[in-house]
Amino acid sequence: MADKSPLGIYLHWGFCASKCPYCDFVSQKLPSDLDFSLWLTEYKKALDFFVPFTANHEVTSVFFGGGTPSLLPPSFVGEILDYIRKRFNFSSVTEITLEANPSSSESKKFADLKSAGINRLSLGVQSFSDASLKFLGRIHSREEAITALKNALNIFTNVSFDLIYALPNQEISQWRQELSEALSYKSPHLSLYQLTIEPECAFARQNISLPDEDTAAALYETAGEMTEKAGIPAYEVSNYARPGYESVHNLAYWRYHDYLGIGPSAHGRLSINGQKHALCQHSDPFFWLKATDKNAEDIILTPAEVIEEVSLMGLRTTEGISEKLLPSKHLQTLLSDGLLMRKGNRICATKNGILLLNKVLSRLFAD
């Protein structure tokens, strides 16, 4: 019997305690009267839909994202995981992640979430500065962030936390100081995201001046140098890990493995009969809740579209992608220009290529 294909399962919980002004994800404030039991039933129905299409798959990771899934009762999380165990091939799962905010009430749930089956926590710290947290619209304080992080590290072996950089007027010395503090906690994984202002977020309606490209690049390079020295090098554009602690679930995206997206607005990619399906569930949470068919889109990608997506995801990582997958027309020029490089039979972005990745991809697939 052939080996089963790896499969990630992403579950989107699109509710938050409040909406951050930089966020363009589909999320809204959690209603006080939400019926969790009804939502649990509908998540199970959404999972059931995919069971017939995944018999030849083996689940390797589960990821509760959002929104703020740490607002969920731990019993809800445990029941979802039990259901996935019963309905899918689950014996190869090594990583079950839940995103959490550092508020005091959510931090108190960490032990119960571990008991429910979570073995990796991703904590939305975003900053260790109260002023920056206020600017970012976060409702936790520096003190709460530190308390939650220490609590998480005491309970979980595998902890990641996020920081946002390239804030208005942020200087390299400030970023160095914040990163130095972040690294002192010895978390095995960090996600460091440059602040960008997307058209749909609240910041887009404000006159916010972000650092110029050179400053942003210097901040990024500072992160690379400091994390490398600390023994948690970059393995993807925004992600850094101690060897062995790279995110199994996120690597599934970047390696273009199949994954299911369950919940309002969740996206997925699934191979069926040799074709790659791009899937997206209904974005409005309450429409999704009532819909018999949770899927808003099911598009069969062309071979050319698949190669573009493989390249878009794979070139974000330090392992790159197989050279034989790439179109050859502009490849040599990008290699000569020092934007791409060969690593054995694979092609990777150089440091300059990472900084200009969108332009690299545009040139790579130009007619």
Side-chain angles (χ1 to χ4, degrees):
M1 183 180 292
D3 290 340
K4 294 182 182 296
S5 300
L7 179 72
I9 298 180
Y10 172 79
L11 297 124
H12 185 75
W13 181 251
F15 295 104
C16 295
S18 65
K19 182 80 170 177
C20 298
Y22 58 84
C23 177
D24 69 334
F25 293 156
V26 178
S27 62
Q28 56 185 266
K29 188 173 181 179
L30 178 69
S32 58
D33 59 348
L34 197 76
D35 184 346
F36 284 101
S37 62
L38 177 59
W39 281 84
L40 181 60
T41 297
E42 295 304 315
Y43 273 94
K44 290 178 179 178
K45 288 180 183 177
L47 285 162
D48 280 341
F49 174 84
F50 290 106
V51 170
F53 305 105
T54 55
N56 294 321
H57 288 75
E58 191 87 80
V59 179
T60 51
S61 63
V62 180
F63 195 107
F64 291 85
T68 310
S70 52
L71 294 173
L72 287 166
S75 59
F76 184 111
V77 173
E79 193 160 343
I80 285 285
L81 290 173
D82 285 343
Y83 198 74
I84 294 172
R85 284 188 188 94
K86 292 173 184 174
R87 302 291 281 145
F88 296 85
N89 298 313
F90 198 80
S91 60
S92 294
V93 170
T94 58
E95 181 186 278
I96 304 173
T97 302
L98 183 135
E99 292 181 335
N101 274 344
S103 73
S104 300
S105 60
E106 291 163 72
S107 181
K108 290 175 183 176
K109 295 181 181 179
F110 290 172
D112 289 338
L113 287 167
K114 183 178 181 181
S115 297
I118 300 300
N119 63 16
R120 181 177 183 270
L121 201 73
S122 178
L123 197 61
V125 170
Q126 314 308 5
S127 178
F128 290 110
S129 158
D130 279 323
S132 295
L133 289 169
K134 183 177 180 181
F135 166 74
L136 291 167
R138 305 296 288 170
I139 59 174
H140 66 271
S141 66
R142 164 185 165 79
E143 183 179 349
E144 283 181 305
I146 294 170
T147 300
L149 180 56
K150 288 180 177 178
N151 186 30
L153 289 165
N154 282 332
I155 293 170
F156 295 93
T157 303
N158 198 349
V159 174
S160 176
F161 67 93
D162 301 352
L163 293 177
I164 297 176
Y165 68 96
L167 277 60
N169 303 314
Q170 186 175 34
E171 296 179 0
I172 292 176
S173 59
Q174 295 171 319
W175 181 224
R176 280 189 172 277
Q177 183 177 354
E178 184 159 33
L179 264 180
S180 181
E181 178 174 3
L183 293 166
S184 73
Y185 296 110
K186 307 295 184 184
S187 180
H189 191 286
L190 280 177
S191 295
L192 307 177
Y193 298 112
Q194 181 179 333
L195 178 62
T196 56
I197 297 179
E198 302 296 339
E200 299 301 318
C201 73
F203 271 165
R205 299 185 289 275
Q206 303 175 29
N207 186 24
I208 291 172
S209 179
L210 298 180
D212 59 34
E213 285 188 8
D214 288 343
T215 303
L219 293 166
Y220 177 78
E221 288 168 353
T222 296
E225 292 166 6
M226 292 183 66
T227 54
E228 180 87 30
K229 188 175 180 180
I232 54 170
Y235 67 101
E236 189 269 345
V237 171
S238 302
N239 287 273
Y240 307 75
R242 191 187 307 159
Y245 285 87
E246 298 86 354
S247 170
V248 173
H249 188 83
N250 287 335
L251 279 171
Y253 298 151
W254 301 321
R255 290 171 175 167
Y256 209 61
H257 294 168
D258 284 352
Y259 63 95
L260 305 181
I262 306 295
S265 80
H267 290 253
R269 293 290 184 274
L270 188 60
S271 301
I272 304 173
N273 296 327
Q275 295 179 309
K276 185 73 82 169
H277 291 246
L279 300 150
C280 180
Q281 305 220 314
H282 293 293
S283 60
D284 180 87
F286 295 100
F287 184 88
W288 178 91
L289 187 69
K290 296 175 182 178
T292 303
D293 183 357
K294 309 296 187 189
N295 292 301
E297 286 185 355
D298 180 354
I299 299 169
I300 297 174
L301 300 177
T302 67
E305 288 171 331
V306 168
I307 291 300
E308 284 201 40
E309 288 197 341
V310 168
S311 303
L312 174 65
M313 303 306 283
L315 287 175
R316 294 180 61 87
T317 68
T318 55
E319 67 184 20
I321 60 176
S322 172
E323 182 171 352
K324 66 183 181 182
L325 294 175
L326 290 172
S328 58
K329 184 176 180 181
H330 302 289
L331 179 57
Q332 188 55 52
T333 302
L334 289 164
L335 289 165
S336 299
D337 289 347
L339 298 171
L340 296 178
M341 63 180 178
R342 285 190 173 90
K343 189 187 289 186
N345 62 355
R346 301 182 73 81
I347 298 293
C348 307
T350 62
K351 286 185 178 180
N352 284 339
I354 287 289
L355 293 171
L356 300 169
L357 192 55
N358 288 337
K359 293 178 182 177
V360 169
L361 290 163
S362 179
R363 285 176 60 184
L364 187 62
F365 288 96
D367 293 332

